[in-house]
Amino acid sequence: MTANDVFFQRKQAAAVLKHGVLMRYPPVFATMTGSTSDGGRVVYLDGYAGPGRYEPEGDEAVGAPGSPLLAVRSATTIAKWSRDLHCIFVERKPQYAENLRQVLADEAGADLNYDVLDGDVQDRLDEALEIAGQSPLLAFLDPFGTALPYEMMTRQLMGRDSALKTEVLLNLNLEMVWRIGGLITGQEKDSEQTTSGNSATLERIDAFLGGDWWRDTFTAARESGEPGSAARAAQTVATEFRRRVLAATGFKSFSVPIRRRPHHPPLFLLILFFRHQAAPYQFNEAASGANAEWREHFRKIDLSEDLARRRREEPPDLFGEDLIISITEQEARDIEAELENGWVTTIASNIRNMLDQTSSLRIEESFADIYGATLGLAREKHLRRAWDQLHDTGFVHRRDTTQKIRRQTIRRRD
Ligand SMILES: C[S@@+](CC[C@H](N)C(=O)[O-])C[C@H]1O[C@@H](n2cnc3c(N)ncnc32)[C@H](O)[C@@H]1O
């Protein structure tokens, strides 16, 4: 059984956050970019598509939807708003590609446009870009390990005519970087130990990250050797990678960490590469909603583990279980409310500090600083509350409730 097979047998915790973002962001991208495209056509390229569905878990009749099913569901939803989301799926493993065709035949509406391309995304990229033509394109790259070589990602995908709307969503495997980075720190001790297999692995990462620069970056960042330093070094490599992509292509980026459990180091970074100013604001809305779902997912796992433990240790008491469930639900609501109040306080304090230096803040331009540490967690509703609180204290002018908040400017009262 391969790592792939294990992956698709159970919807992993990390997939909850990834899929939460995928349910939310592509429809927004398509709605925004499709307003000016021919026939409302927008293209979504899923370069590492998988079999379409996970294997059923427990007593489930069908498994959780994979990224392709989420995409065709989004396509069905936004068709109501005259957006034609054409999905292109590429999958290398023949058995998964076949399964994907079956899942889509069963579940995609008859009027949806989609293609399933077999084989390596590197070999099918030209064809996919030809299908995309002049339409806005959102490319999702979600391999297990390394994704498209850097040159292909930056020159072919991000190198599309700058008049065309293009975004790339890359799920960067940090755990892979820190595990493979371990080969270099080991290699430094005794270069004789480097096997040809390790060299091939290192070269694959070099191709993906755009050179072997990351080896020095990783080694330097790992120097302390403290627990967790490899995970932090992988994040340093990711930060430098994003900086290089920006310098080479002009694409800025916004990243959301994906963890197996709260307080664990991030295993993946879901990175959106974009040009348009509205993108990070909307992506943050998606990340915040997905993060709320992810917290709820863990709460339910913790609760079911707790109930299972009680059943083992104490005589069954179903009435007691109902009580425990309703108490934990109330507690969860209280914890969420407390978290959200904290975010509102942080955002209000960020706005106050920024308005001590300047008289006005354009939200779309400054939203990353406005959210600060709450980026990816808080969203517009929290920003609205923070603004209203600051208005109530007389510090800023009132917001315009008839306009989109992201297009507004917060002005200090003098
Ligand atoms: C992490 S899984 C994708 C999961 C899927 N995006 C989801 O969320 O449901 C990666 C998939 O990419 C496929 N794959 C790996 N390398 C590939 C390549 N070079 N070209 C196309 N597909 C590839 C694997 O067979 C696997 O099914």
Side-chain angles (χ1 to χ4, degrees), residues 4 7-8 15 18-19 22 46-52 54 65-68 90-93 96 119-122 140 142-144 146:
N4 274 12
F7 180 91
F8 287 112
K18 173 179 79 176
H19 287 168
L22 288 178
D46 189 341
Y48 299 80
Y54 288 69
S67 58
V90 188
E91 173 51 50
R92 187 169 67 182
K93 193 169 172 179
Y96 284 175
D120 193 315
V121 65
Q122 291 187 48
F140 176 47
D142 179 29
F144 285 118
T146 49

Side-chain angles (χ1 to χ4, degrees), residues 335-388:
I335 291 170
E336 279 294 305
E338 207 175 304
L339 263 180
E340 297 193 33
N341 289 340
W343 298 336
V344 172
T345 306
T346 303
I347 295 169
S349 141
N350 292 344
I351 296 173
R352 202 175 255 284
N353 291 339
M354 290 163 84
L355 284 180
D356 280 342
Q357 314 294 324
T358 175
S359 58
S360 63
L361 287 177
R362 278 174 45 84
I363 289 183
E364 208 162 60
E365 260 169 30
S366 326
F367 96 98
D369 293 325
I370 291 175
Y371 281 105
T374 72
L375 207 58
L377 298 170
R379 56 183 175 279
E380 194 169 275
K381 67 174 188 173
H382 308 109
L383 169 57
R384 219 181 286 130
R385 274 177 57 196
W387 188 337
D388 291 348

Side-chain angles (χ1 to χ4, degrees), residues 240-297:
E240 174 60 15
F241 174 71
R242 292 167 58 189
R243 194 198 62 73
R244 284 171 178 254
V245 171
L246 172 64
T249 64
F251 275 72
K252 296 182 183 156
S253 57
F254 184 111
S255 74
V256 179
I258 296 189
R259 300 178 161 85
R260 189 170 287 133
R261 282 253 162 185
H263 312 301
H264 282 201
L267 296 178
F268 291 89
L269 272 190
L270 194 53
I271 309 176
L272 181 74
F273 292 98
F274 62 91
R275 276 211 187 93
H276 197 281
Q277 202 177 36
Y281 187 92
Q282 300 291 5
F283 193 67
N284 183 66
E285 294 291 296
S288 165
N291 259 315
E293 259 168 35
W294 185 76
R295 290 192 298 277
E296 176 65 3
H297 176 81

Side-chain angles (χ1 to χ4, degrees), residues 3 291 321 333:
N291 259 315
E321 282 200 358
R333 281 192 291 274

